[in-house]
Amino acid sequence: MVIAGFAAVLALGTFLLSLPAAAVDAEGTSVVDALFTATSALCLTGLVVVDTATNWSGFGHGVILVLIQLGGIGILTFATLLVMMVSHRIGLRTRLTTAAETKTLGLGDVRGVVRGVVLLSLSIEALTAAVLVPRLAVAYDTEWSRALWLGIFHSVSAFNNAGFALWSDSLTQFVGDPWICLPIAVASILGGLGFPVLFEIGRRYTKPGGWTMHTKIVLWASGGFLLGGAVFVTALEWGNAATLGPLPVQEKVLAGFFQGTMPRSAGFNSIDISAMNSATWLGMDVLMFIGGASAGTAGGIKITTFAVLLFVIYAEVRGESSVNIFGRRLHGDVQRQALTVVLLSVAGVVGSTVVFMVSTTFTLDQALFEVISAFCTVGLSTGITAELSDPHKVLLSLLMFVGRLGPVTIASALALRRRVRLYELPEERPLIG
């Protein structure tokens, strides 16, 4: 039902963007380009095949904004409710205090979740816009009405990790401006943490020791990847004359942090992605594939999925019989679900990359970057998106749709599908390694 609902909204968005009124050109936009843009907006990706700033009219920009907001709130609500449905821990029915402590789902819980998601989303977007609007109006001599629209659009795009910008060069003109880059980065990070984590921090911020395993994993892993991504991009691009090289030291640090944050699914860029080193692309591939937290606006296989497998490896190397994380034992079902999500995602990425390699002239690093960006709903590109043929645009649209709804749907379906086996088969071990 959820997938059908998103498909219906996608069809409506495609129709509206294909209307002549949605484009600056009176002839309108092709159906394939409208489908690609609508999918990218609804699935919070940010990849574009036409220039967002110059191709779409005010009506078209409005449609894109609504699709982003619907996609963000819809996915947050959907993912959070699924977390509540599949978690069988403690019977807390009145409020969602954590992503893993609800046994049953009552009507009051649904209302509370939806209300909380909407209010939290709108509040963070409003605070981000409150910083962007005066900065754009005063520092860049923008009319207040235009600055208000730009502030609202980019705050919504940032919190929902959509990556759409109303400037043709994304945010490259603001590469050294912390009053533009940092609010957008912070909003993207908060959206990527996920609603259950934000909700629990807000209610129990004075008792971090009592936070759940999910919240602790998300915060520790997110901090590590944010710091690691920023250091990685800054170090590899420090002397690149086409990216960070010409900038002053303080602007290099700001741009490195900003661009190291964006692969988690935000999709904005303040430096030229196409001019980066191939090694930087590969590192960003990894960051994009991992993504953000479950029940958040970020994409990827989710940082909790990656962390679970990392702890599984750690326990196996140490020879431990169970996987323990932050003083809690990890359920065996979660390990199998994480492995399933990762392997299915790898299969989707590899298969699509092979299709690109045999049907285009793009290099492997370009094709892999584009496919991962689409499947993990990031929105960064090496500059080849606009050169794609219609079949490849449709393929990327499918990847964005599956990448956004697929992992969480698969994970929840696996968790909800419980079968009690009344017998066990004889045990045997194959050779591993």
Side-chain angles (χ1 to χ4, degrees):
M1 290 177 63
V2 171
I3 293 176
F6 270 82
V9 176
L10 176 60
L12 177 59
T14 301
F15 169 74
L16 293 176
L17 289 179
S18 63
L19 294 175
V24 174
D25 188 347
E27 296 181 0
T29 306
S30 69
V31 175
V32 173
D33 289 347
L35 170 66
F36 189 97
T37 304
T39 307
S40 184
L42 184 64
C43 296
L44 312 179
T45 306
L47 286 175
V48 295
V49 289
V50 293
D51 188 355
T52 305
T54 60
N55 181 82
W56 304 108
S57 64
F59 173 74
H61 290 154
V63 171
I64 292 173
L65 181 65
V66 171
L67 288 174
I68 292 172
Q69 191 71 83
L70 289 177
I73 291 178
I75 289 171
L76 277 171
T77 305
F78 168 51
T80 303
L81 293 178
L82 285 178
V83 167
M84 296 173 65
M85 291 172 61
V86 304
S87 299
H88 297 272
R89 299 297 182 193
I90 302 174
L92 300 180
R93 301 184 65 250
T94 56
R95 290 188 177 220
L96 176 65
T97 59
T98 171
E101 290 185 349
T102 307
K103 183 178 180 181
T104 55
L105 183 65
L107 183 61
D109 296 315
V110 176
R111 291 174 179 172
V113 168
V114 174
R115 181 171 60 250
V117 167
V118 173
L119 290 178
L120 184 62
S121 299
L122 295 181
S123 298
I124 295 177
E125 291 166 359
L127 290 174
T128 306
V131 178
L132 297 179
V133 171
R135 182 64 177 177
L136 291 170
V138 176
Y140 296 94
D141 197 23
T142 306
E143 293 185 2
W144 279 96
S145 58
R146 175 65 176 171
L148 179 62
W149 168 244
L150 292 174
I152 293 175
F153 186 96
H154 291 92
S155 63
V156 172
S157 184
F159 176 71
N160 292 288
N161 280 253
F164 277 88
L166 296 184
W167 296 285
S168 300
D169 59 354
S170 191
L171 302 181
T172 56
Q173 60 181 300
F174 307 109
V175 63
D177 191 344
W179 291 98
I180 298 294
C181 293
L182 291 182
I184 289 178
V186 171
S188 301
I189 293 171
L190 292 177
L193 291 178
F195 174 73
V197 173
L198 296 176
F199 195 93
E200 184 173 15
I201 292 175
R203 292 197 57 190
R204 306 172 68 180
Y205 63 91
T206 59
K207 301 178 180 179
W211 290 345
T212 58
M213 178 196 297
H214 175 80
T215 297
K216 292 178 181 178
I217 289 177
V218 169
L219 293 179
W220 278 101
S222 296
F225 278 109
L226 285 172
L227 178 60
V231 172
F232 177 82
V233 172
T234 305
L236 267 66
E237 296 297 319
W238 187 271
N240 189 339
T243 55
L244 298 182
L247 301 176
V249 174
Q250 66 273 16
E251 292 187 9
K252 286 184 178 182
V253 174
L254 174 62
F257 168 77
F258 183 82
Q259 211 55 66
T261 302
M262 294 301 107
R264 298 186 71 246
S265 194
F268 294 100
N269 64 282
S270 61
I271 56 179
D272 188 359
I273 302 296
S274 64
M276 285 182 167
N277 300 313
S278 296
T280 309
W281 286 351
L282 181 59
M284 293 174 70
D285 286 339
V286 175
L287 292 173
M288 291 191 297
F289 187 74
I290 296 173
S294 300
T297 58
I301 62 171
K302 306 307 180 186
I303 204 167
T304 43
T305 305
F306 176 82
V308 163
L309 294 181
L310 194 63
F311 278 105
V312 169
I313 295 173
Y314 178 74
E316 186 65 26
V317 170
R318 290 174 55 90
E320 298 178 355
S321 58
S322 61
V323 180
N324 302 312
I325 307 176
F326 296 116
R328 294 290 187 272
R329 180 169 55 88
L330 188 67
H331 198 285
D333 290 346
V334 177
Q335 303 174 37
R336 294 192 293 271
Q337 293 160 16
L339 187 61
T340 302
V341 170
V342 171
L343 290 182
L344 289 177
S345 299
V346 169
V349 168
V350 172
S352 301
T353 302
V354 171
V355 172
F356 265 73
M357 292 301 298
V358 300
S359 58
T360 67
T361 59
F362 301 129
T363 62
L364 174 59
D365 47 7
Q366 288 177 318
L368 181 63
F369 194 99
E370 200 78 10
V371 167
I372 292 179
S373 182
F375 181 79
C376 298
T377 64
V378 179
L380 296 175
S381 174
T382 59
I384 67 174
T385 314
E387 303 175 20
L388 298 176
S389 62
D390 285 351
H392 293 103
K393 293 176 184 177
V394 174
L395 174 60
L396 286 187
S397 298
L398 179 62
L399 281 175
M400 288 186 285
F401 191 84
V402 173
R404 173 54 66 179
L405 295 179
V408 66
T409 304
I410 293 172
S412 60
L414 291 173
L416 289 171
R417 187 179 181 178
R418 294 181 177 271
R419 292 184 178 180
V420 179
R421 176 172 289 185
L422 302 180
Y423 62 92
E424 291 291 341
L425 296 175
E427 185 178 276
E428 187 173 346
R429 283 177 172 270
L431 297 178
I432 300 297

